[in-house]
Amino acid sequence: MSAGMPITMSARFIAYPPDRAALVRILGDGQIYRIGRARTCELRIEHASVSRFHAELEGSARGWHLRDTASKNGVRIDGEAVTRGIIVKPTWLAVGDVYCWLEPISAAEAGLHRSEIEVRRATSRIMSEHLAQTRDIQSLIPQTLDVVLELSGLERGFVVFAPPGEALRIHACRGLAAQEIASTRFSGSVAAVEHVLADGNSVICCDTLDSPWLGARPSVQMGGIRALLCVPLRQGDLSLGAIYADSRKPGPPITELDLEMVEHVAEGVAASLAAARLHEDVNDLLRQARDAGMEIPRWDELRPSSGK
């Protein structure tokens, strides 16, 4: 690098909104990133304490400039309220009540991070394609849970599933016994599943201690649950069940990318479960027809011959 040429610096920005997936972004210097609730913000944080246009981050050769843009609940750097400041090293900051981590990194580190994201997305696609080829429900559900645990980095979980018209049942468990899930000591996690089954939206907590509706539950406190993820299994407007996973040890945050990949897997698996169920129903009907002495014609015998 020539003498006097400014040093370019990227940054890793992570926001930890309660009850939501962590927002992780790689920032390039020389650009302005708006932070706020508005959809037009480059760093969008959905939380009641965050203003629509709360603050701005801008990178330069001197560091990362943080400016409060007349927000209601202010900005803090290392716990100190500021209207503007320069960040030159890994630093905690707060946007309203949402804690964020800003870490200056090199261009090489930024490139490696982006490559890792592409590898994870490719891995997720391969896993989803493999699951889509499985037509046996008894094999598909446990395999799905294994994929979700691997993609999310969580350590244990279960799947509740019910074909249309049938009662929900636990079809697969990892790190848990069905009796534990049914006990009152596990009510915190059951509450997460019930949220998902009721409104069809995923539930996610990077740290349950900060969750107003989960953190106080005895099952969460006694079980030491630190993070959890629960996503729906849906076929259109029809709820088929849910996939639940959690972890009792601190670890990397559950990110928007993690949630995106797990939800993509859940969508594909829900379609596969519906197809597998339909396949079983058709085979049952064919068996019943044969048992009744009915002759089942072949498809090529039903099609009209071309040119005749």
mmCIF file of all heavy atoms in Angstrom, residues 12 24-26 105 108-118:
data_model
loop_
_atom_site.group_PDB
_atom_site.id
_atom_site.type_symbol
_atom_site.label_atom_id
_atom_site.label_comp_id
_atom_site.label_asym_id
_atom_site.label_seq_id
_atom_site.Cartn_x
_atom_site.Cartn_y
_atom_site.Cartn_z
ATOM 1 N N ARG A 12 -18.009 -5.584 11.349
ATOM 2 C CA ARG A 12 -19.078 -6.547 11.613
ATOM 3 C C ARG A 12 -20.027 -5.915 12.629
ATOM 4 O O ARG A 12 -19.615 -5.524 13.719
ATOM 5 C CB ARG A 12 -18.511 -7.855 12.148
ATOM 6 C CG ARG A 12 -19.589 -8.900 12.450
ATOM 7 C CD ARG A 12 -18.986 -10.165 13.046
ATOM 8 N NE ARG A 12 -18.190 -10.895 12.069
ATOM 9 C CZ ARG A 12 -16.866 -10.997 12.103
ATOM 10 N NH1 ARG A 12 -16.183 -10.382 13.069
ATOM 11 N NH2 ARG A 12 -16.214 -11.678 11.193
ATOM 12 N N VAL A 24 -27.032 -9.612 11.747
ATOM 13 C CA VAL A 24 -25.595 -9.613 11.493
ATOM 14 C C VAL A 24 -25.344 -9.050 10.097
ATOM 15 O O VAL A 24 -25.902 -9.552 9.118
ATOM 16 C CB VAL A 24 -24.994 -11.037 11.598
ATOM 17 C CG1 VAL A 24 -23.488 -10.991 11.370
ATOM 18 C CG2 VAL A 24 -25.304 -11.655 12.956
ATOM 19 N N ARG A 25 -24.510 -8.016 10.021
ATOM 20 C CA ARG A 25 -24.207 -7.395 8.741
ATOM 21 C C ARG A 25 -22.717 -7.069 8.670
ATOM 22 O O ARG A 25 -22.106 -6.691 9.666
ATOM 23 C CB ARG A 25 -25.007 -6.105 8.545
ATOM 24 C CG ARG A 25 -26.501 -6.295 8.422
ATOM 25 C CD ARG A 25 -26.881 -6.917 7.081
ATOM 26 N NE ARG A 25 -28.326 -6.965 6.925
ATOM 27 C CZ ARG A 25 -29.098 -7.961 7.352
ATOM 28 N NH1 ARG A 25 -28.529 -8.992 7.965
ATOM 29 N NH2 ARG A 25 -30.400 -7.939 7.165
ATOM 30 N N ILE A 26 -22.170 -7.186 7.467
ATOM 31 C CA ILE A 26 -20.815 -6.727 7.200
ATOM 32 C C ILE A 26 -20.928 -5.369 6.530
ATOM 33 O O ILE A 26 -21.592 -5.226 5.496
ATOM 34 C CB ILE A 26 -20.049 -7.714 6.296
ATOM 35 C CG1 ILE A 26 -19.887 -9.069 6.999
ATOM 36 C CG2 ILE A 26 -18.687 -7.141 5.931
ATOM 37 C CD1 ILE A 26 -19.107 -9.005 8.285
ATOM 38 N N ILE A 105 -13.117 -4.800 11.088
ATOM 39 C CA ILE A 105 -12.416 -5.970 10.556
ATOM 40 C C ILE A 105 -11.764 -5.603 9.234
ATOM 41 O O ILE A 105 -12.100 -4.589 8.612
ATOM 42 C CB ILE A 105 -13.373 -7.179 10.356
ATOM 43 C CG1 ILE A 105 -14.501 -6.806 9.380
ATOM 44 C CG2 ILE A 105 -13.938 -7.656 11.682
ATOM 45 C CD1 ILE A 105 -15.424 -7.959 9.043
ATOM 46 N N ALA A 108 -10.172 -8.666 4.130
ATOM 47 C CA ALA A 108 -10.027 -10.125 3.985
ATOM 48 C C ALA A 108 -10.997 -10.853 4.911
ATOM 49 O O ALA A 108 -11.628 -11.841 4.515
ATOM 50 C CB ALA A 108 -8.590 -10.539 4.288
ATOM 51 N N GLU A 109 -11.134 -10.361 6.158
ATOM 52 C CA GLU A 109 -12.077 -10.968 7.093
ATOM 53 C C GLU A 109 -13.509 -10.807 6.612
ATOM 54 O O GLU A 109 -14.327 -11.723 6.749
ATOM 55 C CB GLU A 109 -11.924 -10.332 8.475
ATOM 56 C CG GLU A 109 -10.641 -10.705 9.189
ATOM 57 C CD GLU A 109 -10.461 -9.930 10.484
ATOM 58 O OE1 GLU A 109 -10.475 -8.686 10.440
ATOM 59 O OE2 GLU A 109 -10.335 -10.576 11.543
ATOM 60 N N ALA A 110 -13.814 -9.650 6.027
ATOM 61 C CA ALA A 110 -15.160 -9.423 5.495
ATOM 62 C C ALA A 110 -15.454 -10.389 4.352
ATOM 63 O O ALA A 110 -16.552 -10.962 4.264
ATOM 64 C CB ALA A 110 -15.297 -7.983 5.007
ATOM 65 N N GLY A 111 -14.462 -10.599 3.475
ATOM 66 C CA GLY A 111 -14.643 -11.535 2.370
ATOM 67 C C GLY A 111 -14.836 -12.955 2.854
ATOM 68 O O GLY A 111 -15.654 -13.707 2.310
ATOM 69 N N LEU A 112 -14.087 -13.348 3.901
ATOM 70 C CA LEU A 112 -14.224 -14.686 4.457
ATOM 71 C C LEU A 112 -15.612 -14.878 5.058
ATOM 72 O O LEU A 112 -16.234 -15.935 4.881
ATOM 73 C CB LEU A 112 -13.156 -14.903 5.533
ATOM 74 C CG LEU A 112 -13.178 -16.262 6.247
ATOM 75 C CD1 LEU A 112 -12.954 -17.395 5.254
ATOM 76 C CD2 LEU A 112 -12.116 -16.300 7.354
ATOM 77 N N HIS A 113 -16.115 -13.854 5.744
ATOM 78 C CA HIS A 113 -17.461 -13.938 6.327
ATOM 79 C C HIS A 113 -18.501 -14.147 5.236
ATOM 80 O O HIS A 113 -19.394 -14.991 5.370
ATOM 81 C CB HIS A 113 -17.754 -12.661 7.110
ATOM 82 C CG HIS A 113 -19.120 -12.620 7.714
ATOM 83 N ND1 HIS A 113 -19.397 -13.107 8.980
ATOM 84 C CD2 HIS A 113 -20.320 -12.179 7.223
ATOM 85 C CE1 HIS A 113 -20.685 -12.952 9.239
ATOM 86 N NE2 HIS A 113 -21.257 -12.388 8.198
ATOM 87 N N ARG A 114 -18.409 -13.395 4.152
ATOM 88 C CA ARG A 114 -19.379 -13.538 3.057
ATOM 89 C C ARG A 114 -19.287 -14.920 2.420
ATOM 90 O O ARG A 114 -20.299 -15.516 2.053
ATOM 91 C CB ARG A 114 -19.154 -12.443 2.019
ATOM 92 C CG ARG A 114 -19.427 -11.027 2.545
ATOM 93 C CD ARG A 114 -19.345 -9.996 1.431
ATOM 94 N NE ARG A 114 -19.596 -8.654 1.942
ATOM 95 C CZ ARG A 114 -18.645 -7.769 2.215
ATOM 96 N NH1 ARG A 114 -17.361 -8.093 2.023
ATOM 97 N NH2 ARG A 114 -18.946 -6.579 2.683
ATOM 98 N N SER A 115 -18.065 -15.443 2.294
ATOM 99 C CA SER A 115 -17.895 -16.789 1.728
ATOM 100 C C SER A 115 -18.530 -17.841 2.626
ATOM 101 O O SER A 115 -19.170 -18.789 2.134
ATOM 102 C CB SER A 115 -16.405 -17.102 1.543
ATOM 103 O OG SER A 115 -15.812 -16.209 0.628
ATOM 104 N N GLU A 116 -18.378 -17.673 3.930
ATOM 105 C CA GLU A 116 -18.969 -18.620 4.871
ATOM 106 C C GLU A 116 -20.492 -18.613 4.775
ATOM 107 O O GLU A 116 -21.135 -19.666 4.874
ATOM 108 C CB GLU A 116 -18.526 -18.281 6.295
ATOM 109 C CG GLU A 116 -17.058 -18.589 6.566
ATOM 110 C CD GLU A 116 -16.609 -18.085 7.928
ATOM 111 O OE1 GLU A 116 -17.364 -17.307 8.556
ATOM 112 O OE2 GLU A 116 -15.508 -18.466 8.369
ATOM 113 N N ILE A 117 -21.067 -17.444 4.555
ATOM 114 C CA ILE A 117 -22.520 -17.348 4.396
ATOM 115 C C ILE A 117 -22.969 -18.130 3.169
ATOM 116 O O ILE A 117 -23.960 -18.881 3.205
ATOM 117 C CB ILE A 117 -22.956 -15.873 4.296
ATOM 118 C CG1 ILE A 117 -22.820 -15.190 5.658
ATOM 119 C CG2 ILE A 117 -24.403 -15.764 3.800
ATOM 120 C CD1 ILE A 117 -23.118 -13.703 5.628
ATOM 121 N N GLU A 118 -22.244 -17.966 2.057
ATOM 122 C CA GLU A 118 -22.612 -18.681 0.830
ATOM 123 C C GLU A 118 -22.480 -20.189 1.011
ATOM 124 O O GLU A 118 -23.307 -20.959 0.513
ATOM 125 C CB GLU A 118 -21.737 -18.203 -0.340
ATOM 126 C CG GLU A 118 -22.017 -16.775 -0.770
ATOM 127 C CD GLU A 118 -23.493 -16.553 -1.064
ATOM 128 O OE1 GLU A 118 -24.095 -17.381 -1.787
ATOM 129 O OE2 GLU A 118 -24.060 -15.566 -0.557
#
